[in-house]
Amino acid sequence: MTVRVGVIGTGRIGSDHIRRLTGTIPGAEVVAVSDVDTERAELVAGEIGATAIPGGTDLIADDRVDAVVVTSIGPTHAEYVLAAIDSGKYVFCEKPLATTAQDCLRIVRAEREFGSRLVQVGFMRRYDAGYRAMKRVIDAGEIGTPLIMHCVHRNASVPDSYHSAMAVQDTAVHELDTIRWLLGTEIARTQVHVPRSTANRFPHLRDPQLMRFETEDGVHIDLEVFVNCQYGYDIQCETVGELGTVRLPDPPDVAVRKAGQLRTGVLQDWTTRFVDAFDRELREWIESVHAGRLCGPSAWDGYAVAVSSDATVRALESGEIVEVRLTEKPELYQG
Amino acid sequence: MTVRVGVIGTGRIGSDHIRRLTGTIPGAEVVAVSDVDTERAELVAGEIGATAIPGGTDLIADDRVDAVVVTSIGPTHAEYVLAAIDSGKYVFCEKPLATTAQDCLRIVRAEREFGSRLVQVGFMRRYDAGYRAMKRVIDAGEIGTPLIMHCVHRNASVPDSYHSAMAVQDTAVHELDTIRWLLGTEIARTQVHVPRSTANRFPHLRDPQLMRFETEDGVHIDLEVFVNCQYGYDIQCETVGELGTVRLPDPPDVAVRKAGQLRTGVLQDWTTRFVDAFDRELREWIESVHAGRLCGPSAWDGYAVAVSSDATVRALESGEIVEVRLTEKPELYQG
Amino acid sequence: MTVRVGVIGTGRIGSDHIRRLTGTIPGAEVVAVSDVDTERAELVAGEIGATAIPGGTDLIADDRVDAVVVTSIGPTHAEYVLAAIDSGKYVFCEKPLATTAQDCLRIVRAEREFGSRLVQVGFMRRYDAGYRAMKRVIDAGEIGTPLIMHCVHRNASVPDSYHSAMAVQDTAVHELDTIRWLLGTEIARTQVHVPRSTANRFPHLRDPQLMRFETEDGVHIDLEVFVNCQYGYDIQCETVGELGTVRLPDPPDVAVRKAGQLRTGVLQDWTTRFVDAFDRELREWIESVHAGRLCGPSAWDGYAVAVSSDATVRALESGEIVEVRLTEKPELYQG
Amino acid sequence: MTVRVGVIGTGRIGSDHIRRLTGTIPGAEVVAVSDVDTERAELVAGEIGATAIPGGTDLIADDRVDAVVVTSIGPTHAEYVLAAIDSGKYVFCEKPLATTAQDCLRIVRAEREFGSRLVQVGFMRRYDAGYRAMKRVIDAGEIGTPLIMHCVHRNASVPDSYHSAMAVQDTAVHELDTIRWLLGTEIARTQVHVPRSTANRFPHLRDPQLMRFETEDGVHIDLEVFVNCQYGYDIQCETVGELGTVRLPDPPDVAVRKAGQLRTGVLQDWTTRFVDAFDRELREWIESVHAGRLCGPSAWDGYAVAVSSDATVRALESGEIVEVRLTEKPELYQG
């Protein structure tokens, strides 16, 4: 049995997912693609022997499609995800689930009404081997109850179009989900401090930023976001518990000793850093679709991250601590 | 265009390769399988929608098969590889290429007669990210001309059936290829020293063993093989050049600080250590078949390793330095 | 020429310094000691052939004493340091310089009036090889202008008498000096956040604490103080600049691979961690006394740290950001 | 009570030891110095308030001298050490104990006749924190019975006067002692392999060299000596036991992330690498003289290393395995 997948949006990330589903993941087949650029859709469809369907909603409704991957631009996500729920079809939606928390909530409610999980959101870090090992250590109680988490998210550089709020919406959003998932709790308060900015930036950009989150049960998290750090792409995370700490490893590289130095390389790019996580994410999604039981990041996760992200943007603008107010968590997403 | 693959031998490694070719590698399809256990062949064929063909030679001859994967037991390899060459079909053969150097040489000669490369041997370490990074550093001249290589190959334990010569034939054989490949030269002399044996062994087994290899151009390599080291699976390699050294990284793991210790995990098993290398190996083989130009480990590599391995077994038995005498390298394998 | 030193206070740290000055530091001799416990002073004096002098002030005034080490209890420091300045004698004072910022300021003013530096404060981290290497990297411009500093200060455990403000006064005080020294600037604002406390603590103690400091020129520093972390004594520091970062190494230890783990030891105790720094501190102090030109931590440093520490205690109590208001820096301490 | 030390030889290492004994080690005083360059002896004596005594033998005989440090040139060592034994005085002799194994044996016999230990040889690596930690791990049985040891000894470069046998006599000699001490056994056989030499060498010099040692109880040790490795001074040692392994740490340094690299510094020089070991060596020697019971490297150690060193030079010249034949170990050096 093969899951027949329809993909809406054939840009960079869409193409990547099509490549994975066509080539590297067993039990899946891309049968239909859709894109606002219909010529591009035709082209991609032709390459893989799929059908190009002009509109995303039509693709979702098509009987040949068992499950949907949404990789179109953010503002279209909510509509497609809701349509998929309407059709009772599984849908994998790249982050963000929707561009407003309100739309995320509509999706949560639609799914709850449907009665079982159909939606998975593309928070791929949950599939990274290092983060998973960290979660196993925490869940096994090896470091005792977590109290603090220190996170760092650095990019070598960002394009000119990147603005200060994107440090939250595009960058910190990964940690907003990872923190909740690692700790098994919700973020309750958020705050942003802005140190002196790097000279290697655009005038409009506040970079780096130091974010602070507090969970419902009092864990404090600090997160450095520094998107023009020059030296490379660097993701760090340490969880401090009552009995010990656990820390992500640096990506492995050969060690060269030469000219008075011992050196290893630093990655330059998130695609290299998380390529395995992306692969595993889609593979496990297909497996869970086969099993008829989703276990990846849910619509609720998408919603909670959206609310935290909005609060953090307001915190950045105001300099104040901002409360993260979530609706009550439906039973569907408990446990 | 899809490469239609026939797989001979559906044991552990055969099944793994079938899973890869069926699920995770684009541009390939397993269309036929064969096994001495015909029921097993039928079963596996049924699962993936392939045809079970009673004999390996018939599978090779079958028009529906573009390329062959040989994962049957070692003594059958030579016959199947030679048959594939006869049919002018690409063949991926798990190590060993053949159980005798003489048979390896027959394959080399058959392929040379055919006039272009058809054979790839399953030396998967060439596809490991760490070894590849090391080769890039060496080839770029970063450490200058290599002079020395230090290697370690440790297994947590081996079964009772493992005997002393297998430390060469099954274990060191990986380094015998890797050393040649990293240094771009042939091994010329080999020697084995046997220190006091571990008490955690079978009476018949000399473990650990210290092997020494010298290349044609005077690089000296030492290799510790210790297959009952108890603590885990551990592969180490350092190349020392005129200007510096380069060393494989340890596999990454989260670092836990607890109870006065900072600790990371050590892998227990070669499958975990080289799982990515196995994936990449078959993927690149299929790509090279598509391109019509093989670039992985060749029949010559299989032959040269067989000769070195035989010499090293004799060195183990005699305690003497043994010369590795290769036939002249055909032009087909130059450059 | 030998510096004849008088030591006031023969407790643990006093005895340590006497041992160093008597045995391990060239060019110094302890000629007089004083202690409120006069019997103890007699005993210690006897052991090293020095004179016991009943009162600290008399010791300072004694002609046989060239330079004074103050290691008595904190509340007595100011009086002795002021007396030493009055006598025009060099004085090395363990931290704190005085128990109030007001008294520190009196010392600063007395020294300024005297016209040249006589006072050194015992901030020994400035003599640690790792911190010094970090300072060299920063000062050489290798990481560009510093923007952020991440610090961690963990103790395995503290006694019952340790209370929440001591996390600032006794523990963070080291970082308060180190930060100013590494960055070459003053701390301007301070704040403390208190996450959920560890269960391995006394009911009265807020542990861990997350402190935030901002320098005059906009560098933001975060400091985790966790004094019952159970696993060991652990000091971490990373400085993030416009071009790169620099991080303290972990203390070296042999690496043991055993039973599926790769592990090194974590120190349990600050004396082990900073033993070399303590030695170097006194050695360089004696050298600078010989040279007639102090270059270690000054009375101004003691004063600035006292003001920052007071502000941080108020920040802990109030939960607010507290400004650090220093008097104008006298020329004596410039440059 | 102070040990009154006489130092014979005031060159680089002699001056270093005089500095340590004068300044940094409690319970010792340099009262007399001697040098073939009498003017130099006078000068050094004047600086520290000691007496210059023209001949080393006279210095040893002088009643003002309790213990002797021999740091004159190697060929004079035996005479001075024997004279010290004659006088019943403790003597610390820099390596080598004597320039021939025969003279070492004369010293061993003289000391045995005297009836208790008077001689310590300057094998300072036994005082290095890393080696000591390794010995604790081995002695505690943590890695089980040792089977193999891998050692590396690299220097950035050596002067033109350095010739091939010095790779044994001056360089490997440190490992020859360390191996015996770590394993608590004697070296029984030795062999040297010479790979292709580095181009960064003098024509007369075989560099690098790969030495092999076997202990009486069958442990095999390999040692790479590479004295023109260009990149720095690098000492590595890993001991492999039946249950696990233990490895020396790299010297600590701050880690800089910059321009796509994570790098730390490599030391350039043995003085930096072993400065703490040199300090501890002399301090513990003075302590053991005070205690009247030597426990550092003995005359027997000096003898055994001399015999191993001679054997290894012969092994280098012959290319053969050479037996290390020691006389019977006197009871004085047992246990």
Side-chain angles (χ1 to χ4, degrees), chain B residues 145-148 150 154 191 193-200 208 210 212 217-220 224 226 229-231 238 240-245 247, chain D residues 145-148 150 154 191 193-200 208 210 212 217-220 224 226 229-231 238 240-245 247:
Chain B
T145 305
L147 305 173
I148 292 171
H150 302 294
R154 297 184 191 133
Q191 188 176 19
H193 293 288
V194 184
R196 133 205 261 174
S197 286
T198 174
N200 302 308
L210 290 166
R212 281 203 331 105
D217 50 356
V219 181
H220 282 215
E224 175 201 322
F226 188 8
C229 84
Q230 308 295 312
Y231 74 83
E238 182 188 28
V240 182
E242 290 187 340
L243 298 176
T245 73
R247 188 181 178 86
Chain D
T145 305
L147 305 173
I148 292 169
H150 301 295
R154 297 182 191 135
Q191 189 175 19
H193 294 287
V194 184
R196 135 207 258 172
S197 285
T198 174
N200 302 307
L210 289 167
R212 280 203 333 104
D217 50 356
V219 180
H220 282 215
E224 174 201 324
F226 188 7
C229 82
Q230 307 297 310
Y231 74 84
E238 182 189 28
V240 182
E242 291 186 340
L243 299 177
T245 73
R247 190 182 176 86

XYZ file of all heavy atoms in Angstrom, chain B residues 145-148 150 154 191 193-200 208 210 212 217-220 224 226 229-231 238 240-245 247, chain D residues 145-148 150 154 191 193-200 208 210 212 217-220 224 226 229-231 238 240-245 247:
564
model
N 52.522 15.689 2.427
C 52.644 14.281 2.041
C 52.418 13.383 3.251
O 53.054 13.579 4.279
C 54.058 14.022 1.496
O 54.306 14.947 0.441
C 54.187 12.598 0.977
N 51.507 12.412 3.145
C 51.289 11.500 4.273
C 52.518 10.629 4.535
O 53.189 10.183 3.589
C 50.107 10.631 3.821
C 49.442 11.427 2.748
C 50.543 12.177 2.062
N 52.779 10.374 5.813
C 53.930 9.561 6.206
C 53.510 8.351 7.037
O 54.121 7.290 6.963
C 54.903 10.407 7.042
C 55.390 11.715 6.415
C 56.207 12.505 7.436
C 56.216 11.429 5.173
N 52.471 8.554 7.843
C 52.072 7.545 8.823
C 50.553 7.566 8.934
O 49.925 8.609 8.755
C 52.663 7.891 10.217
C 54.173 7.751 10.224
C 52.055 6.999 11.302
C 54.818 8.292 11.490
N 47.614 5.926 11.745
C 47.294 5.128 12.928
C 45.814 4.751 12.878
O 44.955 5.639 12.798
C 47.536 5.926 14.208
C 48.935 6.433 14.383
N 50.008 5.598 14.560
C 49.438 7.695 14.428
C 51.117 6.319 14.693
N 50.803 7.600 14.618
N 37.808 -1.546 16.799
C 37.404 -2.315 17.991
C 35.932 -2.681 17.919
O 35.100 -1.853 17.534
C 37.655 -1.498 19.266
C 39.124 -1.183 19.502
C 39.373 -0.449 20.822
N 40.743 0.050 20.872
C 41.105 1.291 21.246
N 40.191 2.173 21.613
N 42.371 1.645 21.252
N 52.550 -7.131 8.271
C 53.087 -7.874 9.405
C 52.063 -7.823 10.545
O 51.303 -6.868 10.653
C 54.409 -7.229 9.855
C 55.163 -8.031 10.902
C 56.508 -7.407 11.254
O 56.731 -6.226 10.995
N 57.395 -8.206 11.834
N 51.645 -8.409 14.811
C 52.187 -8.708 16.137
C 51.029 -9.044 17.062
O 49.971 -8.420 16.992
C 52.957 -7.510 16.679
C 54.200 -7.209 15.900
N 55.321 -7.992 15.946
C 54.470 -6.219 15.003
C 56.247 -7.503 15.147
N 55.764 -6.425 14.550
N 51.251 -10.010 17.914
C 50.169 -10.448 18.799
C 50.564 -10.223 20.251
O 51.381 -10.954 20.798
C 49.837 -11.935 18.561
C 48.647 -12.347 19.422
C 49.528 -12.174 17.089
N 50.007 -9.196 20.862
C 50.297 -8.970 22.284
C 49.573 -10.018 23.139
O 48.866 -10.873 22.603
C 49.746 -7.578 22.552
C 48.751 -7.310 21.483
C 49.073 -8.208 20.324
N 49.761 -9.928 24.416
C 48.999 -10.744 25.369
C 47.515 -10.622 24.998
O 47.016 -9.536 24.685
C 49.276 -10.186 26.752
C 48.117 -9.971 27.638
C 48.458 -8.870 28.662
N 48.840 -9.512 29.906
C 49.313 -8.878 30.973
N 49.465 -7.537 30.932
N 49.613 -9.517 32.057
N 46.804 -11.735 25.035
C 45.397 -11.716 24.642
C 44.505 -11.343 25.821
O 44.852 -11.568 26.980
C 44.976 -13.092 24.112
O 45.509 -13.298 22.823
N 43.363 -10.773 25.499
C 42.387 -10.462 26.531
C 41.834 -11.751 27.133
O 41.688 -12.756 26.430
C 41.228 -9.628 25.957
O 40.243 -9.471 26.984
C 40.570 -10.302 24.766
N 41.513 -11.704 28.398
C 40.875 -12.855 29.039
C 39.421 -12.989 28.579
O 38.817 -14.051 28.691
C 40.948 -12.706 30.557
N 38.877 -11.893 28.040
C 37.486 -11.928 27.568
C 37.424 -12.456 26.145
O 36.915 -11.808 25.237
C 36.883 -10.522 27.608
C 36.922 -9.938 28.991
O 36.473 -10.571 29.929
N 37.467 -8.739 29.118
N 43.781 -8.860 21.345
C 43.872 -8.068 20.118
C 45.061 -8.476 19.241
O 45.900 -9.273 19.642
C 44.085 -6.650 20.648
C 44.771 -6.834 21.948
C 44.239 -8.110 22.531
N 47.975 -6.546 16.487
C 48.519 -5.277 15.995
C 49.106 -5.502 14.614
O 50.104 -6.201 14.464
C 49.585 -4.755 16.959
C 49.026 -4.273 18.302
C 50.130 -4.086 19.321
C 48.267 -2.955 18.113
N 50.683 -4.185 10.914
C 51.517 -3.125 10.347
C 51.502 -3.261 8.839
O 51.687 -4.383 8.322
C 52.974 -3.298 10.792
C 53.322 -2.850 12.152
C 54.822 -2.553 12.275
N 55.623 -3.346 11.372
C 56.196 -2.879 10.256
N 56.057 -1.625 9.892
N 56.915 -3.681 9.497
N 55.051 3.458 -1.450
C 55.853 4.678 -1.343
C 56.282 4.970 0.087
O 56.627 6.097 0.412
C 55.134 5.873 -1.973
C 53.708 6.013 -1.489
O 53.243 5.138 -0.713
O 53.053 6.997 -1.866
N 56.243 3.942 0.952
C 56.898 4.083 2.242
C 56.072 4.655 3.380
O 56.623 5.003 4.428
N 54.765 4.804 3.192
C 53.927 5.187 4.326
C 53.763 3.961 5.224
O 53.557 2.851 4.736
C 52.544 5.678 3.852
C 51.692 6.088 5.054
C 52.684 6.842 2.879
N 53.903 4.147 6.521
C 53.700 3.053 7.472
C 52.357 3.243 8.175
O 52.029 4.342 8.611
C 54.818 3.032 8.513
C 56.092 2.429 8.017
N 56.928 1.682 8.801
C 56.663 2.469 6.785
C 57.970 1.283 8.095
N 57.850 1.756 6.872
N 45.327 -1.407 15.132
C 44.932 -2.273 16.244
C 43.576 -2.877 15.930
O 42.609 -2.149 15.711
C 44.838 -1.448 17.538
C 44.306 -2.256 18.731
C 43.732 -1.381 19.839
O 44.286 -0.310 20.119
O 42.678 -1.770 20.402
N 40.821 -5.181 17.742
C 40.499 -5.693 19.079
C 38.989 -5.952 19.087
O 38.195 -5.036 19.218
C 40.897 -4.655 20.138
C 40.792 -5.109 21.566
C 40.518 -6.425 21.909
C 40.994 -4.193 22.602
C 40.430 -6.824 23.234
C 40.912 -4.585 23.930
C 40.632 -5.897 24.245
N 36.653 -5.864 22.848
C 37.116 -4.765 23.708
C 36.096 -4.417 24.779
O 36.360 -3.601 25.641
C 37.474 -3.538 22.872
S 36.060 -2.515 22.461
N 34.938 -5.013 24.709
C 33.893 -4.880 25.734
C 33.125 -3.555 25.699
O 31.914 -3.534 25.880
C 34.463 -5.066 27.162
C 35.271 -6.336 27.343
C 34.435 -7.584 27.175
O 33.371 -7.700 27.734
N 34.908 -8.513 26.355
N 33.818 -2.440 25.500
C 33.131 -1.172 25.760
C 32.309 -0.657 24.598
O 31.450 0.210 24.790
C 34.122 -0.111 26.237
C 35.033 0.464 25.188
C 34.593 1.502 24.359
C 36.331 0.001 25.007
C 35.427 2.044 23.409
C 37.169 0.540 24.054
C 36.712 1.566 23.269
O 37.544 2.103 22.323
N 43.903 8.233 12.157
C 44.643 9.499 12.101
C 45.708 9.381 11.024
O 46.478 8.422 11.007
C 45.323 9.777 13.454
C 46.079 11.113 13.471
C 46.918 11.309 14.722
O 47.352 10.308 15.314
O 47.138 12.464 15.096
N 49.053 11.145 9.450
C 50.105 12.088 9.822
C 50.873 12.460 8.566
O 51.417 11.590 7.886
C 51.073 11.440 10.835
C 52.146 12.427 11.277
C 50.309 10.881 12.026
N 50.907 13.741 8.274
C 51.623 14.205 7.097
C 52.778 15.114 7.465
O 53.033 15.377 8.637
N 53.461 15.573 6.462
C 54.648 16.400 6.695
C 54.327 17.734 7.365
O 55.183 18.343 7.986
C 55.347 16.681 5.362
C 56.005 15.447 4.768
C 56.821 15.784 3.539
O 56.579 16.848 2.939
O 57.701 14.991 3.173
N 53.096 18.190 7.223
C 52.733 19.503 7.754
C 51.719 19.456 8.880
O 51.483 20.454 9.553
C 52.140 20.368 6.631
C 53.066 20.660 5.468
C 52.313 21.445 4.405
C 54.269 21.449 5.962
N 51.075 18.315 9.060
C 50.041 18.257 10.083
C 49.368 16.905 10.085
O 49.809 15.971 9.394
N 48.311 16.793 10.855
C 47.593 15.522 10.962
C 46.099 15.763 10.803
O 45.605 16.869 11.006
C 47.824 14.861 12.333
O 47.081 15.584 13.330
C 49.289 14.837 12.708
N 42.310 13.672 11.771
C 41.789 12.580 12.584
C 40.273 12.494 12.458
O 39.587 13.516 12.444
C 42.162 12.870 14.041
C 41.876 11.749 15.004
C 42.269 12.136 16.435
N 41.931 11.048 17.303
C 42.711 10.002 17.560
N 43.918 9.957 17.067
N 42.281 9.012 18.320
N 43.203 -5.427 32.827
C 44.620 -5.655 32.557
C 45.024 -4.937 31.269
O 44.388 -5.126 30.233
C 44.871 -7.164 32.382
O 44.370 -7.833 33.539
C 46.345 -7.459 32.212
N 46.082 -4.132 31.305
C 46.531 -3.457 30.079
C 47.066 -4.462 29.052
O 47.721 -5.444 29.418
C 47.662 -2.544 30.555
C 47.431 -2.369 32.023
C 46.840 -3.672 32.489
N 46.778 -4.184 27.794
C 47.222 -5.058 26.705
C 48.085 -4.311 25.693
O 48.998 -4.869 25.102
C 45.996 -5.635 25.977
C 44.963 -6.367 26.843
C 43.737 -6.725 26.010
C 45.561 -7.621 27.452
N 47.739 -3.057 25.486
C 48.358 -2.276 24.410
C 48.518 -0.836 24.892
O 47.699 -0.350 25.673
C 47.444 -2.274 23.151
C 47.377 -3.655 22.514
C 47.945 -1.258 22.116
C 46.297 -3.767 21.449
N 49.363 3.018 22.975
C 49.701 3.798 21.778
C 50.263 5.144 22.233
O 49.587 5.870 22.963
C 48.450 4.065 20.928
C 47.740 2.840 20.457
N 48.296 1.942 19.589
C 46.496 2.369 20.730
C 47.430 0.973 19.333
N 46.330 1.194 20.018
N 55.694 14.184 19.409
C 56.011 15.050 18.267
C 56.586 16.375 18.741
O 56.075 16.976 19.668
C 54.750 15.311 17.426
C 54.175 14.053 16.794
C 52.958 14.340 15.918
N 52.301 13.089 15.554
C 50.987 12.864 15.593
N 50.156 13.829 15.961
N 50.474 11.703 15.256
N 61.959 -2.594 18.865
C 62.147 -2.615 17.411
C 61.826 -1.226 16.866
O 61.013 -0.498 17.444
C 61.200 -3.654 16.797
C 61.449 -3.924 15.323
C 60.570 -5.035 14.766
O 59.547 -5.377 15.362
N 60.949 -5.600 13.632
N 60.812 0.860 13.195
C 60.512 0.905 11.767
C 60.643 2.347 11.295
O 60.235 3.272 11.995
C 59.102 0.385 11.500
C 58.952 -1.070 11.822
N 59.485 -2.059 11.060
C 58.333 -1.694 12.853
C 59.205 -3.242 11.576
N 58.501 -3.057 12.680
N 61.176 2.491 10.114
C 61.406 3.845 9.610
C 60.593 4.064 8.339
O 60.963 3.560 7.270
C 62.899 4.088 9.333
C 63.119 5.538 8.904
C 63.724 3.782 10.574
N 59.504 4.776 8.425
C 58.730 5.085 7.221
C 59.468 6.110 6.371
O 60.556 6.565 6.741
C 57.433 5.669 7.762
C 57.742 6.135 9.134
C 58.932 5.377 9.636
N 58.880 6.435 5.273
C 59.377 7.538 4.430
C 59.619 8.749 5.324
O 58.802 9.060 6.195
C 58.308 7.805 3.394
C 57.949 9.231 3.120
C 56.509 9.302 2.615
N 56.564 9.474 1.174
C 55.538 9.433 0.375
N 54.311 9.213 0.853
N 55.669 9.609 -0.913
N 60.716 9.440 5.119
C 61.049 10.576 5.976
C 60.396 11.856 5.472
O 60.113 12.011 4.277
C 62.564 10.769 6.039
O 63.162 9.792 6.851
N 60.149 12.757 6.406
C 59.609 14.060 6.027
C 60.635 14.840 5.202
O 61.847 14.704 5.435
C 59.216 14.872 7.268
O 58.831 16.181 6.834
C 60.367 15.007 8.252
N 60.163 15.639 4.301
C 61.062 16.509 3.537
C 61.563 17.666 4.397
O 62.570 18.286 4.099
C 60.351 17.043 2.300
N 60.835 17.923 5.496
C 61.242 19.013 6.396
C 62.269 18.521 7.405
O 62.082 18.607 8.611
C 60.017 19.544 7.137
C 58.963 20.041 6.190
O 59.241 20.857 5.337
N 57.744 19.529 6.332
N 59.876 10.674 10.471
C 59.602 10.076 11.778
C 60.143 8.658 11.900
O 60.583 8.066 10.918
C 58.072 10.063 11.822
C 57.660 9.956 10.389
C 58.680 10.715 9.623
N 58.995 4.844 13.913
C 57.938 4.124 14.626
C 58.578 3.033 15.470
O 59.145 2.077 14.936
C 56.949 3.514 13.632
C 56.077 4.541 12.921
C 55.359 3.908 11.733
C 55.049 5.145 13.878
N 58.544 0.098 18.500
C 57.674 -0.921 19.089
C 58.371 -1.501 20.299
O 59.545 -1.862 20.223
C 57.470 -2.079 18.098
C 56.472 -1.868 17.031
C 55.954 -3.202 16.483
N 56.898 -4.300 16.623
C 56.814 -5.275 17.537
N 55.829 -5.301 18.409
N 57.732 -6.229 17.577
N 55.541 -8.999 30.291
C 54.274 -9.721 30.382
C 53.401 -9.538 29.145
O 52.200 -9.760 29.189
C 53.513 -9.347 31.659
C 53.415 -7.841 31.830
O 53.994 -7.088 31.018
O 52.727 -7.403 32.771
N 54.024 -9.163 28.036
C 53.322 -9.246 26.762
C 52.475 -8.056 26.345
O 51.710 -8.138 25.381
N 52.607 -6.925 27.035
C 51.945 -5.712 26.548
C 52.758 -5.175 25.366
O 53.992 -5.160 25.422
C 51.858 -4.643 27.654
C 51.161 -3.392 27.132
C 51.128 -5.196 28.868
N 52.073 -4.773 24.298
C 52.761 -4.186 23.141
C 52.514 -2.679 23.132
O 51.389 -2.232 23.320
C 52.240 -4.799 21.842
C 52.804 -6.158 21.549
N 53.074 -6.610 20.281
C 53.176 -7.160 22.387
C 53.542 -7.845 20.335
N 53.615 -8.204 21.597
N 55.156 6.635 18.065
C 55.588 7.460 16.936
C 56.445 8.595 17.467
O 55.992 9.378 18.291
C 54.356 8.042 16.213
C 54.735 9.023 15.105
C 53.601 9.959 14.727
O 52.422 9.547 14.723
O 53.890 11.148 14.468
N 58.249 11.874 16.055
C 58.271 12.721 14.853
C 58.711 14.103 15.317
O 57.921 14.865 15.866
C 56.871 12.744 14.243
C 56.759 13.426 12.892
C 57.881 13.857 12.184
C 55.510 13.637 12.314
C 57.765 14.476 10.952
C 55.385 14.255 11.072
C 56.512 14.672 10.400
N 57.540 17.759 13.085
C 56.149 17.637 12.611
C 55.573 18.987 12.220
O 54.459 19.080 11.746
C 55.289 16.944 13.664
S 54.711 18.057 14.950
N 56.323 20.039 12.468
C 55.964 21.408 12.053
C 54.870 22.057 12.898
O 54.958 23.230 13.216
C 55.519 21.455 10.561
C 56.504 20.829 9.603
C 57.845 21.537 9.585
O 57.887 22.749 9.450
N 58.924 20.806 9.746
N 53.825 21.318 13.239
C 52.656 22.025 13.801
C 52.742 22.312 15.291
O 51.995 23.153 15.795
C 51.364 21.284 13.475
C 51.110 20.026 14.251
C 50.522 20.070 15.508
C 51.417 18.779 13.725
C 50.257 18.908 16.211
C 51.164 17.621 14.423
C 50.581 17.692 15.669
O 50.314 16.544 16.368
N 47.615 6.512 24.914
C 46.372 5.790 25.196
C 46.747 4.386 25.653
O 47.519 3.703 24.987
C 45.511 5.702 23.926
C 44.177 4.992 24.174
C 43.407 4.701 22.881
O 44.039 4.538 21.824
O 42.175 4.637 22.940
N 45.239 0.650 26.429
C 44.091 -0.184 26.096
C 44.105 -1.402 27.018
O 45.088 -2.153 27.028
C 44.173 -0.663 24.630
C 42.961 -1.499 24.260
C 44.336 0.528 23.693
N 43.048 -1.575 27.775
C 42.959 -2.719 28.670
C 41.831 -3.656 28.289
O 41.108 -3.418 27.315
N 41.673 -4.701 29.067
C 40.669 -5.715 28.743
C 39.243 -5.178 28.828
O 38.328 -5.729 28.226
C 40.802 -6.894 29.710
C 42.077 -7.699 29.484
C 42.119 -8.937 30.358
O 41.398 -8.983 31.362
O 42.870 -9.867 30.004
N 39.048 -4.104 29.588
C 37.688 -3.590 29.800
C 37.451 -2.213 29.219
O 36.309 -1.760 29.149
C 37.394 -3.524 31.306
C 37.437 -4.840 32.055
C 37.203 -4.598 33.542
C 36.356 -5.772 31.504
N 38.535 -1.528 28.852
C 38.343 -0.168 28.367
C 39.680 0.474 28.075
O 40.720 -0.180 28.103
N 39.634 1.765 27.781
C 40.859 2.490 27.456
C 40.909 3.790 28.235
O 39.885 4.299 28.689
C 40.929 2.832 25.954
O 39.991 3.885 25.677
C 40.602 1.630 25.093
N 42.985 7.700 28.005
C 43.762 8.526 27.083
C 44.093 9.873 27.712
O 43.245 10.485 28.352
C 42.899 8.754 25.835
C 43.608 9.380 24.687
C 42.658 9.604 23.501
N 43.361 10.279 22.465
C 44.111 9.694 21.522
N 44.149 8.394 21.452
N 44.778 10.394 20.656
